[in-house]
Amino acid sequence: MSITYRKLEEKDLETFIRMRITQLREEGATEDLDLVPALMDYYHRHMADGTFVSWLAVDDDQIVGTSGMSFVEKPPYFGCPTGRVGLLSSMYTDPAYRRRGIAKELLRRVVEEAREYGCGSVQITASDMGVLLYTDFGFVKNGNFMQYKF
């Protein structure tokens, strides 16, 4: 196994979306709804305008881990004077590749993207499985709402 990391490209979207839906199902989503068209539209638009970025973990051309960061702007507040916030999503590692540091490396890379974008914080609604990863990284837990401040 030789894991490499690279940014998400348009050619990866079908696999990326399939993994996103798998992640949502693992987290307990049971709705009978086809999210593929809405996700495809979202990623096309936000990758094009630079408000979504993702790093992938790849093993021999197979995507085995995903991450995502959406950039939003809110009115500035004391906890985030820039008003720019990173919304973390799509953190998923193929079960056969878990517990090898892949999610931590993906998280490090997308948090750095948020820093470079000028975000004052990164937020996530964490799954039960992800809470330990995020708290170890430095996110502060508030129920399942978490924030990482720069």
Side-chain angles (χ1 to χ4, degrees):
M1 175 184 81
S2 177
I3 303 297
T4 58
Y5 297 88
R6 65 175 175 80
K7 285 190 177 179
L8 175 70
E9 300 173 15
E10 293 278 332
K11 68 181 176 75
D12 303 314
L13 281 176
E14 188 176 306
T15 300
F16 183 82
I17 288 170
R18 187 175 65 251
M19 292 177 81
R20 171 71 174 150
I21 290 170
T22 299
Q23 170 206 351
L24 294 171
R25 295 290 184 213
E26 279 188 15
E27 292 172 357
T30 58
E31 294 81 359
D32 185 22
L33 174 68
D34 182 7
L35 279 182
V36 173
L39 287 169
M40 191 65 76
D41 174 64
Y42 178 88
Y43 295 129
H44 279 295
R45 287 185 295 112
H46 291 282
M47 287 172 67
D49 73 10
T51 58
F52 179 80
V53 66
S54 168
W55 279 87
L56 306 175
V58 180
D59 183 15
D60 194 29
D61 293 328
Q62 177 187 348
I63 298 171
V64 298
T66 63
S67 65
M69 186 71 70
S70 299
F71 303 119
V72 299
E73 190 166 353
K74 298 167 37 170
Y77 55 98
F78 290 111
C80 182
T82 67
R84 291 181 176 180
V85 176
L87 302 178
L88 185 62
S89 66
S90 304
M91 292 295 299
Y92 182 77
T93 304
D94 181 293
Y97 288 82
R98 291 180 183 165
R99 303 280 183 227
R100 299 180 190 191
I102 292 170
K104 183 177 181 180
E105 180 60 20
L106 290 169
L107 180 60
R108 185 192 68 75
R109 289 172 184 253
V110 292
V111 166
E112 184 57 32
E113 294 280 347
R115 182 189 315 273
E116 290 173 6
Y117 192 81
C119 293
S121 70
V122 171
Q123 301 174 351
I124 184 171
T125 301
S127 68
D128 291 339
M129 187 169 47
V131 170
L132 184 58
L133 169 69
Y134 305 124
T135 54
D136 283 351
F137 194 84
F139 283 74
V140 177
K141 187 175 180 183
N142 178 4
N144 270 0
F145 174 79
M146 303 179 75
Q147 180 170 288
Y148 181 90
K149 291 187 177 185
F150 293 109

